[in-house]
Amino acid sequence: MTPNILVVGSGFSGAVLAHQLACNMDCQIDIWEEKSHIAGNCFTERDRKTDIMVHRYGPHIFNTDKKEIWDFVNGFIQLQPFAHKVKAIYNGQVYSLPVTLHTINQFFKKTYSPAEAKAFIESLANKSISEPQNFEEQALKFIGHDLYKAFFYSYTKKQWGCEPSELPASILKRLPVRFNYDDSYYNNSLVGIPKEGYTEFVQKLLDRQNIHLTLNRKFLPEDDYSSYSHIFFTGPLDAFFNYKFGRLGYRTVTFEPFYFEGDFQGTAVINYCDESVKYTRITEHKHFTPWEKHEKTICFKEYSKETSGSDIPFYPKRLAADKKLLSLYRREAEKLQNVSFLGRLATYRYMDMHHVIDEALHFADKFKDAFIKNLKRPVFPNVEPT
């Protein structure tokens, strides 16, 4: 019997999974998307006033150290190599992020060599912290008090809505310190942006005869889904269970657009690290497509806030109380038959795009094998609920 599969959500997780199943199984797949468009928070479109390709839910720069993932994406669209540079404004000065040799010398008004700068930062580091228990301790152990206060303390409070000491240390592990003048934001060697945006990528993934897309269709857990052999849910895990144990903590982002003649800030992203500035950063989207030329520009001020019932969840907070709720929801999910959960919202993890794609590819293979061999179908990817 040909399986009839429902995929909830057309972001990267749902789209990659649906494409792989449609290509490798004799099945029919319905995709329900709650939004009026595909591609989830990676949705891109041309701005009507400027013709600039805009990342409607904030900038997404594709980066990976896995060539097979880079090649997979390039099999559908053209990824243009992109050098992502981030600047930060603190106390009236402009600095480069992540913290580099230039940042250190500029901030402390020194002319250190790499070895001298490394020794200097080690002298500032809090050596009493052996195993950092939170974001703040991780920062103090890495870079000491002054750099932490300048570039991370207030910015982090604005972004996450709590003291950095309440956040897990793992968040800061993604922010490197370099003792050279390399100001590339990412450590990964493969960095790019789709020439015609991310929406094109998802469109081509879903361009299969056995994939049927419905926009503006909300999944309601209480409805009857017995006509489907299997459901893949990529939305918020707590929403699937109607928040029966309470809401998991998320931060959301609101965007305040404005237009400008010419070039507003000279780069794609500037972080605002002073607590007195209420927005976290300004993004200027024409700098994400340096291969295009635009006389006008569109920018967005980004504000972070707690997610309410009507907001789009962006970043899982994963505080101690959230992790307890997560364990309850995962136990409920494991009891279900013929339902799987995939993606950053359904697994309640911070995930970059290349992680999402990689996991969806492997999950599709795992499901296909289980279906063919009549084994128990996977409920979650092979990850621990940490």
Side-chain angles (χ1 to χ4, degrees):
M1 180 178 177
T2 301
N4 193 24
I5 295 170
L6 174 62
V7 176
V8 181
S10 67
F12 276 15
S13 287
V16 171
L17 176 97
H19 176 85
Q20 293 300 105
L21 294 180
C23 289
N24 298 307
M25 290 181 64
D26 179 17
C27 62
Q28 293 294 319
I29 300 174
D30 289 340
I31 297 183
W32 291 0
E33 172 54 60
E34 185 175 342
K35 295 185 176 73
S36 61
H37 59 75
I38 60 173
N41 285 4
C42 290
F43 175 67
T44 52
E45 65 177 348
R46 294 279 177 186
D47 177 65
R48 292 181 180 179
K49 291 185 179 180
T50 63
D51 199 42
I52 292 168
M53 184 64 75
V54 169
H55 304 213
R56 284 296 173 194
Y57 300 90
H60 290 77
I61 296 91
F62 191 83
N63 70 100
T64 183
D65 57 354
K66 293 186 175 181
K67 190 173 185 300
E68 63 270 24
I69 301 300
W70 179 267
D71 290 342
F72 175 80
V73 177
N74 266 306
F76 297 89
I77 57 172
Q78 181 180 346
L79 281 171
Q80 291 282 97
F82 181 76
H84 190 38
K85 313 277 186 174
V86 174
K87 303 301 176 186
I89 293 179
Y90 170 71
N91 197 24
Q93 296 290 318
V94 181
Y95 299 91
S96 291
L97 285 182
V99 175
T100 66
L101 183 56
H102 185 267
T103 314
I104 295 166
N105 280 331
Q106 184 184 5
F107 185 82
F108 292 104
K109 297 179 173 58
K110 302 293 184 181
T111 57
Y112 286 137
S113 68
E116 290 170 336
K118 187 175 183 179
F120 176 69
I121 295 300
E122 286 176 354
S123 74
L124 300 178
N126 188 333
K127 297 179 178 60
S128 68
I129 302 171
S130 57
E131 291 294 331
Q133 298 301 303
N134 56 59
F135 181 104
E136 181 164 280
E137 290 186 358
Q138 185 82 343
L140 294 174
K141 177 180 172 64
F142 273 171
I143 57 177
H145 177 271
D146 291 344
L147 289 173
Y148 165 62
K149 283 292 185 180
F151 300 118
F152 300 111
Y153 176 70
S154 295
Y155 185 88
T156 302
K157 281 185 67 176
K158 289 192 293 183
Q159 186 175 28
W160 294 96
C162 63
E163 288 292 326
S165 58
E166 298 178 60
L167 295 169
S170 59
I171 293 176
L172 193 58
K173 289 179 182 178
R174 294 192 297 270
L175 302 175
V177 177
R178 300 194 187 107
F179 297 102
N180 55 36
Y181 289 101
D182 176 13
D183 62 349
S184 300
Y185 191 74
Y186 297 110
N187 281 331
N188 288 329
S189 57
L190 298 169
V191 182
I193 289 180
K195 187 175 182 180
E196 293 298 330
Y198 290 100
T199 304
E200 181 190 30
F201 173 55
V202 175
Q203 285 173 335
K204 291 188 175 181
L205 284 169
L206 302 184
D207 187 19
R208 302 283 304 181
Q209 287 188 343
N210 53 342
I211 293 179
H212 316 284
L213 171 69
T214 304
L215 298 176
N216 300 302
R217 180 70 183 267
K218 186 177 177 63
F219 178 87
L220 301 173
E222 63 271 19
D223 287 351
D224 180 15
Y225 297 99
S226 57
S227 62
Y228 290 103
S229 306
H230 200 87
I231 297 172
F232 292 93
F233 187 78
T234 69
L237 181 61
D238 52 354
F240 184 90
F241 295 100
N242 284 320
Y243 311 102
K244 65 184 293 185
F245 301 120
R247 286 182 178 270
L248 292 166
Y250 282 96
R251 296 294 283 179
T252 190
V253 181
T254 59
F255 303 93
E256 182 182 299
F258 62 94
Y259 292 93
F260 189 80
E261 293 289 334
D263 192 344
F264 178 74
Q265 64 185 19
T267 193
V269 177
I270 295 184
N271 290 358
Y272 285 78
C273 300
D274 296 294
E275 195 166 1
S276 59
V277 180
K278 298 308 176 186
Y279 44 87
T280 55
R281 62 183 182 176
I282 294 179
T283 58
E284 187 170 4
H285 286 231
K286 73 177 181 181
H287 292 296
F288 293 117
T289 54
W291 52 89
E292 298 181 356
K293 301 299 179 186
H294 299 277
E295 292 183 4
K296 296 181 180 180
T297 194
I298 179 172
C299 303
F300 293 85
K301 293 179 180 178
E302 294 189 11
Y303 298 84
S304 179
K305 74 181 188 72
E306 207 69 13
T307 303
S308 63
S310 60
D311 291 323
I312 299 171
F314 273 67
Y315 308 112
K317 292 186 74 172
R318 298 180 64 85
L319 304 184
D322 296 318
K323 292 182 179 181
K324 291 181 181 178
L325 280 182
L326 176 60
S327 295
L328 293 175
Y329 282 121
R330 284 183 64 100
R331 283 200 290 270
E332 284 293 295
E334 294 286 357
K335 298 175 186 177
L336 299 175
Q337 298 292 322
N338 303 330
V339 181
S340 298
F341 299 86
L342 181 70
R344 63 182 183 86
L345 296 179
T347 61
Y348 196 61
R349 291 176 296 153
Y350 181 91
M351 298 173 71
D352 288 327
M353 288 180 286
H354 63 289
H355 295 136
V356 170
I357 293 171
D358 194 17
E359 189 166 275
L361 290 171
H362 285 94
F363 202 63
D365 287 341
K366 189 175 181 181
F367 174 81
K368 181 191 71 173
D369 289 345
F371 191 88
I372 291 173
K373 297 174 183 177
N374 200 27
L375 301 174
K376 177 176 169 52
R377 300 167 191 177
V379 178
F380 287 102
N382 267 338
V383 293
E384 294 298 321
T386 56

